[in-house]
């Protein structure tokens, strides 16, 4: 379980920063920054874990508790599909994290970043590989980013039915790949991703053959 040890050792204002949505075939990449300005309530601490280890219900419960916690400062940033196509997914993820940190009420003294690459921030940074399983504020950020991105994909699923985004959040499941081949890409697909290009080309070939 993640702990508050790294934040306490660092002192000052420490933000945990993480992103969600680097791997999907569709949708934005989302990032969150979380600062615990005071001691984390024990009840909330028990709910927080690496978002990948939590069930959807567990993530929602933790998200609601985080939003209700007076000592939790939460900020969110995103990078669009167009920005992903223009910058590439890594740089777009860095941009989303920059936007999240910039939207905090005050600049942190230190940003703890999940992974081995830090965005360019106007504060000190420290990368922690597997930080969402080790560091409480990073784990909280991972939950916020994941929940909000999943909600965004569910809303898009209403406008673009057939791809199963309400269940797969844009990831390359078998059903999503089959839908891409059958229906073609939407404006929210990452057309520079190899899988999207290949399946979109296959759909065009099938349409041409049918004609």
């Amino acid at each position: 379980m993640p702990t508050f040890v790294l934040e306490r050792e660092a002192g000052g204002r420490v933000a945990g920063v993480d992103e969600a949505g680097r791997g999907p075939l569709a949708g934005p990449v989302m990032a969150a920054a979380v600062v615990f300005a005071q001691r984390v309530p024990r009840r909330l601490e028990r709910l927080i874990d690496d978002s990948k280890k939590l069930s959807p219900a567990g993530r929602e419960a933790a998200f609601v508790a985080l939003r209700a916690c007076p000592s939790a400062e939460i900020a969110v940033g995103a990078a669009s599909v167009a920005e992903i196509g223009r910058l590439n997914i890594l740089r777009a993820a860095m941009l989303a994290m920059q936007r999240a940190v910039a939207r905090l009420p005050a600049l942190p003294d230190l940003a703890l970043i999940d992974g081995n690459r830090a965005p360019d921030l106007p504060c000190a940074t420290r990368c922690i590989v597997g930080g969402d399983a080790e560091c409480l504020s990073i784990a909280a950020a991972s939950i916020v980013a994941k929940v909000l991105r999943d909600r965004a994909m569910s809303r898009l699923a209403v406008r673009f039915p057939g791809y199963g985004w309400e269940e797969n959040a844009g990831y390359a499941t078998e059903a999503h790949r089959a839908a891409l081949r059958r229906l073609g890409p939407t404006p929210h697909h990452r057309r520079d991703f190899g899988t999207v290009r290949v399946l979109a080309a296959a759909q065009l070939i099938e349409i041409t053959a049918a004609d």
Side-chain angles (χ1 to χ4, degrees):
M1 291 287 290
T3 69
F4 201 60
V5 171
L6 292 175
E7 294 92 338
R8 192 163 46 242
E9 289 177 348
R13 285 178 54 79
V14 180
V17 184
D18 200 2
E19 53 79 22
R22 195 179 291 195
L25 305 181
V29 60
M30 190 85 68
V34 176
V35 174
F36 290 111
Q38 301 173 22
R39 183 179 178 85
V40 184
R42 186 61 59 86
R43 183 184 66 84
L44 174 59
E45 191 170 349
R46 286 195 294 265
L47 292 174
I48 297 173
D49 201 350
D50 175 357
S51 64
K52 297 185 292 296
K53 296 180 181 178
L54 295 173
S55 66
R59 286 194 295 269
E60 284 286 345
F63 176 80
V64 170
L66 279 164
R67 291 289 299 271
C69 179
S71 63
E73 299 175 6
I74 300 170
V76 178
S80 68
V81 168
E83 289 172 322
I84 292 169
R86 188 172 71 250
L87 299 173
N88 77 37
I89 184 59
L90 175 60
R91 291 177 180 172
M94 296 294 112
L95 177 61
M97 288 191 274
Q98 288 173 333
R99 287 171 172 166
V101 172
R103 288 171 181 158
L104 286 168
L107 186 68
D109 300 305
L110 173 68
L112 300 174
I113 312 295
D114 184 48
N116 61 5
R117 185 85 173 261
D120 185 14
L121 297 175
C123 65
T125 59
R126 178 181 172 187
C127 293
I128 303 173
V129 176
D132 44 6
E134 181 179 348
C135 173
L136 197 70
S137 60
I138 293 179
S142 78
I143 290 167
V144 172
K146 173 65 174 168
V147 168
L148 291 180
R149 188 181 185 281
D150 283 357
R151 289 181 179 182
M153 294 307 295
S154 291
R155 290 193 297 272
L156 285 174
V158 176
R159 294 169 51 200
F160 299 91
Y163 299 91
W165 290 345
E166 68 280 6
E167 296 179 356
N168 61 48
Y171 283 87
T173 63
E174 184 175 345
H176 188 185
R177 291 164 63 93
L180 250 175
R181 182 168 186 140
R182 184 177 70 255
L183 303 172
T186 71
H188 297 281
H189 276 99
R190 302 174 182 178
R191 293 172 183 256
D192 288 337
F193 276 33
T195 300
V196 176
R197 284 201 309 270
V198 169
L199 292 174
Q203 191 236 10
L204 287 174
I205 290 171
E206 289 180 2
I207 291 174
T208 302
D211 291 342

